[in-house]
Amino acid sequence: MTEATTNPIDRLSEAGVSVWLDDLSRERLRTGNLAGLVADLDVVGVTTNPSIFASALAKIDAYDAQLRELASAGADVDAAVFAITTDDVREAADVLRPVYDATDSVDGRVSIEVDPRLAHDTRGTIDSAKALWAAVDRPNVFIKIPATLEGLPAITAVLAEGISVNVTLIFSLERYAAVLDAFLEGLERAHDNGYNLRTIGSVASFFVSRVDAAIDPRLDALGTPEAAALRGKAAIANARLAFGLYEKVVAGDRWQALAERGASPQRPLWASTGVKDPAYPDTLYVSELIAPGVVNTMPEATLLAFADHGEVRGDTVSGTQAESARVVSDLAALGVDLDEVTAQLEVEGVQKFEASWEQLLSTVSAGLGQVAR
């Protein structure tokens, strides 16, 4: 196909980017909206998180029938949330299963996150991941585990049990390097445990827009031309440097030994790609992060915007390491410490997901009470 006969999403896919939707709801499933996005806009995966489920469950009417069943069975709120979310993810996994089969298990994946209250509990995270994997019972599910210090050994342990993992809430290069190491160790253990590495998938969700949202106000406060020139550059530079780390790992002997045993790489996934500053193009974190073999998970608004007017200029990541390193260096010269910012973003990310989870629990609790009357 030529550019004239394809839309920007088609060209993005042709450039090697897997397009995923960062949203899920029972309404989206029941109306056929998700299936339509798969058919019409090359969506080949779905990610969820506690905030997405909290938003979905706010439309409680879609869950009335299941809430009545759960209330009649005497389910408590935690059990109800577990049942509702795993049911939605299972159904979405079935919608994406043809993609999973057609891509030899690379795409067609649906992610569900462990209880965010366990972000600093290694054992609890492992147990939660196993429970979610068993409950959804689909080969094309990813269990999301946050890249906290306590999450790192959980990532290794879960992969070692043959469970596919989406590592989430990655902000810093240092933590991403540790995630890559946890992934390699997990696959090595999985092989030692007798698992077929071809069946284990993984992505690493590197968060993008939140970095600019945190750094731009600091630059604005400085009020200098040098600071203004760096607005909107930190997040893309950070992500591009992360891709450089990924390239080093897949070029290394340790990875090559796993690849020879049938393993697939842990692909970088660009998360938080919705633009938060209206001064920036609404497709910024898509068009500037195009590289073969990456995933970009987009809110629906970003997906539709890119389908309408997104620009694909080929690979916009490879060969940008020196330029990206200069951005980080220039930020440091102005007193903006990227490591400090990303450490705080991890703390805030866990807190936001915990707050969304509490909101989700409150909504389901109220729903159980209402249908029980």
Side-chain angles (χ1 to χ4, degrees), residues 140-179:
N140 54 325
V141 69
F142 273 140
I143 307 302
K144 290 181 79 173
I145 297 175
T148 57
L149 288 175
E150 297 83 358
L152 293 173
I155 292 160
T156 295
V158 170
L159 286 165
E161 294 294 326
I163 296 173
S164 296
V165 173
N166 176 343
V167 184
T168 188
L169 287 178
I170 309 172
F171 295 96
S172 76
L173 298 176
E174 180 181 11
R175 188 57 54 81
Y176 180 44
V179 166

Side-chain angles (χ1 to χ4, degrees), residues 22-373:
D22 192 28
D23 191 53
L24 183 64
S25 67
R26 189 156 298 182
E27 180 181 29
R28 194 181 286 282
L29 289 164
R30 293 290 184 264
T31 61
N33 171 271
L34 177 59
L37 293 174
V38 172
D40 301 332
L41 285 181
D42 286 349
V43 169
V44 294
V46 171
T47 48
T48 69
N49 61 44
S51 298
I52 285 171
F53 276 127
S55 177
L57 266 293
K59 301 174 181 178
I60 203 70
D61 290 353
Y63 298 89
D64 276 353
Q66 187 171 14
L67 284 168
R68 279 192 291 271
E69 292 176 5
L70 291 164
S72 297
D76 63 21
V77 65
D78 286 297
V81 167
F82 185 89
I84 289 168
T85 56
T86 54
D87 279 1
D88 279 1
V89 168
R90 187 182 307 107
E91 186 170 345
D94 289 342
V95 172
L96 271 295
R97 182 59 187 266
V99 175
Y100 174 82
D101 292 336
T103 61
D104 195 22
S105 80
V106 173
D107 283 310
R109 301 279 188 164
V110 183
S111 296
I112 184 170
E113 189 157 344
V114 298
D115 185 334
R117 295 171 298 182
L118 301 170
H120 300 295
D121 178 349
T122 301
R123 183 70 253 172
T125 294
I126 295 169
D127 292 342
S128 177
K130 289 181 177 180
L132 288 169
W133 180 259
V136 177
D137 192 25
R138 295 294 187 271
N140 54 325
V141 69
F142 273 140
I143 307 302
K144 290 181 79 173
I145 297 175
T148 57
L149 288 175
E150 297 83 358
L152 293 173
I155 292 160
T156 295
V158 170
L159 286 165
E161 294 294 326
I163 296 173
S164 296
V165 173
N166 176 343
V167 184
T168 188
L169 287 178
I170 309 172
F171 295 96
S172 76
L173 298 176
E174 180 181 11
R175 188 57 54 81
Y176 180 44
V179 166
L180 288 165
D181 187 68
F183 165 71
L184 294 174
E185 184 178 350
L187 288 194
E188 288 163 350
R189 289 193 195 176
H191 177 263
D192 292 343
N193 290 339
Y195 288 99
N196 180 357
L197 299 188
R198 293 183 185 278
T199 68
I200 306 172
S202 188
V203 292
S205 295
F206 201 87
F207 279 52
V208 185
S209 68
R210 293 189 195 183
V211 174
D212 280 340
I215 287 180
D216 282 353
R218 300 187 184 202
L219 297 172
D220 293 341
L222 291 172
T224 66
E226 293 81 6
L230 288 170
R231 288 189 94 259
K233 293 187 177 180
I236 292 168
N238 196 40
R240 287 171 171 174
L241 289 170
F243 187 79
L245 292 179
Y246 164 76
E247 287 185 305
K248 288 180 181 177
V249 166
V250 296
D253 292 341
R254 191 177 177 193
W255 166 249
Q256 291 304 316
L258 289 166
E260 289 170 5
R261 295 167 180 163
S264 297
Q266 183 188 58
R267 292 183 294 167
L269 180 152
W270 310 130
S272 182
T273 57
V275 171
K276 294 175 171 54
D277 187 333
Y280 299 148
D282 54 3
T283 59
L284 177 69
Y285 301 119
V286 182
S287 61
E288 296 300 324
L289 292 173
I290 297 173
V294 303
V295 179
N296 195 307
T297 186
M298 312 177 203
E300 186 174 31
T302 303
L303 174 69
L304 296 178
F306 200 88
D308 179 67
H309 54 265
E311 184 179 3
V312 179
R313 307 189 308 277
D315 187 337
T316 54
V317 176
S318 300
T320 62
Q321 295 295 296
E323 173 191 348
S324 299
R326 279 195 299 273
V327 170
V328 176
S329 178
D330 289 346
L331 287 168
L334 294 178
V336 179
D337 187 333
L338 185 58
D339 290 337
E340 175 195 334
V341 171
T342 54
Q344 182 59 33
L345 285 172
E346 179 186 304
V347 172
E348 293 173 357
V350 172
Q351 291 173 343
K352 287 177 181 177
F353 280 172
E354 286 178 343
S356 294
W357 196 257
E358 293 299 334
Q359 178 186 345
L360 175 60
L361 293 172
S362 177
T363 300
V364 171
S365 178
L368 287 170
Q370 185 174 354
V371 298
R373 294 193 193 109

